[in-house]
Every structure is written in structure tokens, then in C-alpha cells.
Amino acid sequence: MLQCIFILSDSGQVMLEKQLIGHKVDRSICAWFWDQVISQGDSFKCDHVCVEILALYLLDFQFLCRVADVLSDYLEGLNEDVIKDNFVIVYELLDEMIDNGFPLTTEPNILREMIAPPNIVSKMLSVVTGNSSNVSDTLPGATASCVPWRTTDIKYANNEVYVDLVEEMDAIINRDGVLVKCEIYGEVQVNSHITGVPELTLSFANPSIMDDVRFHPCVRFRPWESHHILSFVPPDGLFKLMSYRVKKLKSTPIYVKPQITSDAGTCRINVMVGIRNDPGKMIDSITVQFQLPSCVLSADVTANHGAVTVFTNKMCNWSIDRIPKDRAPALSGTLLLETGLERLHVFPTFRVGFRIQGVALSGLQLDKLDLRVVPSRLYKGFRALTRSGLYEVRS
């Protein structure tokens, strides 16, 4: 049973407090928690918001992940400013998601029927009328259904279901150009618009490559355990059916080769980008970012393709988009070091971004999608997308 939820800012201050039972938990526990965050460094920190839950069981930690997913989905992001701008929505969601310390309604599609997501119109109306509540006056239809994530009276003129494989590649390449780590985090996202209460089965051609799988509550575990088949009654609309990892990949689609030399108070930088393994589809939205060391006073960098921007915080962003066929994109420039510093001793790490539509670089392949009871003609669609996650090249 959960006792309380605190949402902390990036500086460790309590932004939101939700006491869940009669026994109140003192805020001083947050100071201890933040000390642990600071002592562990970046490996313990969340990207924007730290959520601390006092709990005893793994179910509570799973609920914490669901709270973060729902807030991110509702607010289209999860950071300190977004939380402050939507205090009412956050409190209303927590009221519906947990009751007296126990998880209650956690399905995003059902929550959307109960609490309207924030938008400009609702914010203007709340200012005019003074009513800031977004809670619906009627209960969602799923409350009377035997399937808690789906209503029973759904009807569509056309029955459609679309499956997307969305993957992110995490890779680390050391200064010698050796691939130290390369793995894929992927999600199977389903957008379902089917009449009634359908039962779907989804199978893969090579399910054995997947590790660390996580499922939506609609998935029946026994068919997956015995035959690696996903059997489920889908929620209505878009939802994440499962997530997975594919580890120990041997190659990356593009290469980034940085060369940095320094002498006599100046530093010369050269970066080349090209295709290492052609995935068969266009690679676009290619970017290279790196943070200039604090000892660099000024930077003069140019590129033969794309646009280069050096921001005031010394972050350099090279936007390439697509690699041309006639030449390899290259960035070159000169960095001026602080007075008295002959050589550069701290070398930047290059963060690479890209996107490939129509390809799942993990090699995962969908086999077939079947509907047991077909109310009418069913339209099915499959897509794949791979983009960069934490893709680092060290110099």
C-alpha cells in the first residue's frame, strides 16, 4: 500500500504532495531522498522530474512508472514547468489513479474519458468561469465492462487496426572507433478502432531476439509464455502493447569520426559523418551535438553541408538532415583556448541523432495479426520507425 507521493523539482524542492492514507508522512523524507540522488550522480537522476514513492512492493514501483507515463501523455512532456502549469490536472489524475493507497484506474484511454486533457480552450474557460475542474460528470463506459480498459458499446463503420514498431538505438563508440555498446529499446504501439470486444493475436517471425519484455495489462501471459504469441483484447484507440530490448547489436547505420588536435593555445576540430551500413531506407533528421569545454573562449566552425549553430552555453549543434550522395558531410573549425593553456585536456562527447522510417534495425519482424471474431472487413496496417536514443561518440 502506498502512503504518499512527492513530486520534486530539479533542485529537490517539493512541488506537489499527495497524502494517500490517514498516517501523514513528513516532508523531511524528501531531504534524505534528494541526498541519495546527489550522492549517486547522474546515474540516479531522472531526466526532468524526480518522483519519490514510499512503498514496499514491486507493484508500487510499477504504479510509479504508470503515473509517469500517464502524466507525460496528458501533459505532452514531463518537466518542472509543465507540472507547475497543470497542478489541477495532476491532482485530479492522482485522485482517480489511486484510492486509499491502492492503484485504481491506470488505463490512459479510460482516464481521458474521466478527465479532459488540458488545452487552450479549457484554460480560457477556467479563467472566465472560475471552474478549474476537468472531471467529467458521467462515468466512462468501461466501468460497467468486464474488460476494465474497454467499453462494450463501441461501434465503427470501418474496423481498423494499425501496428507500429518504434525503436530507439542506444550506442557508445569509444575514441578508437570501437563499438562498446549497441542495443535497441523498442515499443509495439497499436491503434485500434474495432467494433465490440475483439480478441486479437499478434505473432513475430523471430521473437527470441527480444529481452526484458513488458506488456500492457490486456496481454494474456500464458500464450506468450508457451508459444510467444500476443493474445489480447485491445483498448480503444492508441496504446503501447509491449516494450522490449534487443541487446549486443554489432553495427550502427551511420558513423561519426571526430579528430581533435591542439597546440599553442588553439585547437583544430574535424568531424566527418557518413553511412556505415545502408538500412535500405532514407536516413534523415541527422544531427550532431557536442558541448565545448569551459576552457574554450571562442569557436569558429563551418560545415560543407547543413547548418552549424554555437549557442551561448557553448553547445554546438550541427543539423545535417540527409547525407548527400556526392559528398560526405564534414565539419571543421578552430577553437581558441584560455590564456596560458597550451593544449586541450577535456575532450567533448558527440551526441548523434537520426531517424529511419520503414525499418526496425533490431531485425524484429511481425508475422501476422489475426482477429478471432470479425464483425466486418478489417483493415490492417504495419509500420516501422527507428530513431536514435543515447547515441554517443567519444573523442
Side-chain angles (χ1 to χ4, degrees), residues 265-284:
T266 59
C267 180
R268 185 71 181 172
I269 181 171
N270 294 277
V271 183
M272 292 189 62
V273 178
I275 297 176
R276 183 187 302 275
N277 293 296
D278 191 352
K281 297 289 185 178
M282 178 65 69
I283 307 176
D284 58 10

Side-chain angles (χ1 to χ4, degrees), residues 56-73:
L56 295 175
Y57 305 105
L58 290 177
L59 173 64
D60 301 327
F61 294 102
Q62 177 64 29
F63 176 75
L64 169 60
C65 295
R66 181 55 65 93
V67 169
D69 290 341
V70 169
L71 291 180
S72 181
D73 180 50

